Amino acid sequence: MIEYNVGIIGAGWIAGVIADMLQNLNGICAYAIASRDEEKAKKFAEEHKVEKYYGSYEALLADEEVEMVYIATVNSNHAELAKMCIDAGKAVFVEKPISYNAKTTEDLLKYAEEKGIFCGEAMWLRYNPLMNLVVDQLKKHIIGDVRSVTANIGYNLAGRERLLKPELAGGALLDLGIYPITAVFMIMGGPPTNVVAEPMITTTGVDAYSTIYMRYPQGRAALVTNTMTTNLDNKIIIYGTHGRIEIDNVNNPKLVTIYGSDGKSRGEMKPQNDEYTGYEYEFKAAREAAIVGKKETKEYSVADTIELYHFTDAIRYTWNLPFPLPEEPEKKTKEQNDSDTANV
């Protein structure tokens, strides 16, 4: 099979995970790595068996053998770098979050459409076969009508400095919280009608912990817990009128257990035996879309992508946590914020 060459921009931890995964896939390979530090790029290439390395992003984009670029840099420059890739005529797959707000996300995806280039977000939960099987089974009323969902995610990420910096679009919501939020959107069929969200804010001005209560029509609801300060069980539980479903991992489901209304297990669902890491599904889908000239994948539409960031924007702005970045509102003064709170 002819290899589809992926160039990687950014030489951090997730880039290494993706490079190793791509080297084990048929038909796709991690062909090149670019970092602004050439020595770092060289070391990455040696460790992950990547053929080419570059000391600038521009040099990678000038390589005619690169067919798709995977962006794995800090959140704040995802959209800017994606536009560079589009201008170079390269399909681009951006590590989540695709950008830090809905406006820059929408602008980027519109730009890609105008240029006729595929641009997508690497939100692996959307592509996970087991998660999509659960959604399909819920539509068939496997546990009756869904009434409520709980989903949480938590890791102790105290050592990751980028997450503490507003100028890098840090915080738990965009780095972690979008996983359980995405899970709820998939299960419930979209965003809620009402939201109550309470954060814990760091001294640097980003969210470290939050609970998000999401109300849906007919009395349905979801509760999301999200933190970068401690480890949680990272589970999803879906409650229906005739039972419940427990999913072991909101990031990358490996085990789904179905319970009847009597509380007894009615069976389990697991991934296919040939699954490698879980990241392979999103890259296979992105490659297919790019090769055939589609602007989105069947698993994750442009509209769904933008919808997610309208939701996270609304939460952050309610918390008065805009980033000091383009297309963000100004941070309210204490007096303005107190006045808004009093008028709620």
Side-chain angles (χ1 to χ4, degrees), residues 43-99:
K43 182 179 179 182
F44 184 100
E46 291 171 350
E47 290 180 355
H48 301 285
K49 299 179 175 60
V50 176
E51 182 177 339
K52 296 289 185 70
Y53 66 89
Y54 296 103
S56 74
Y57 304 153
E58 292 81 4
L60 181 144
L61 294 177
D63 187 333
E64 294 182 357
E65 296 299 315
V66 172
E67 296 170 277
M68 174 181 283
V69 178
Y70 167 65
I71 295 175
T73 57
V74 294
N75 299 344
S76 55
N77 65 12
H78 283 180
E80 174 189 353
L81 294 176
K83 286 185 177 179
M84 284 177 54
C85 297
I86 293 166
D87 286 339
K90 309 292 188 184
V92 58
F93 206 38
V94 188
E95 181 55 41
K96 59 80 196 163
I98 191 169
S99 192

Side-chain angles (χ1 to χ4, degrees), residues 163 170-178 206-210 226-228:
L163 294 179
L173 182 65
L174 289 190
D175 233 70
L176 298 175
I178 54 177
V206 299
D207 63 292
Y209 180 102
S210 64
N226 161 52
T227 178
M228 62 182 188

Side-chain angles (χ1 to χ4, degrees), residues 134-149 187-188 220 238-245 258-262 266:
V134 169
V135 172
D136 182 63
Q137 290 298 308
L138 290 173
K139 292 176 181 176
K140 296 175 181 177
H141 301 282
I142 191 172
I143 55 170
D145 297 328
V146 174
R147 303 308 306 163
S148 65
V149 180
I187 293 163
M188 293 296 212
R220 298 179 302 145
I238 308 165
Y239 298 93
T241 54
H242 300 301
R244 74 182 190 276
I245 292 176
I258 305 160
Y259 296 89
S261 54
D262 59 1
R266 289 167 45 190

Side-chain angles (χ1 to χ4, degrees), residues 214-225:
M214 304 157 70
R215 299 190 186 110
Y216 285 83
Q218 288 90 45
R220 298 179 302 145
L223 181 65
V224 165
T225 303

Side-chain angles (χ1 to χ4, degrees), residues 70 93-96 120-124 127 179 282-283 300:
Y70 167 65
F93 206 38
V94 188
E95 181 55 41
K96 59 80 196 163
E121 180 180 47
M123 170 59 77
W124 64 333
Y127 297 88
Y179 285 123
E282 60 183 3
F283 277 87
Y300 195 21

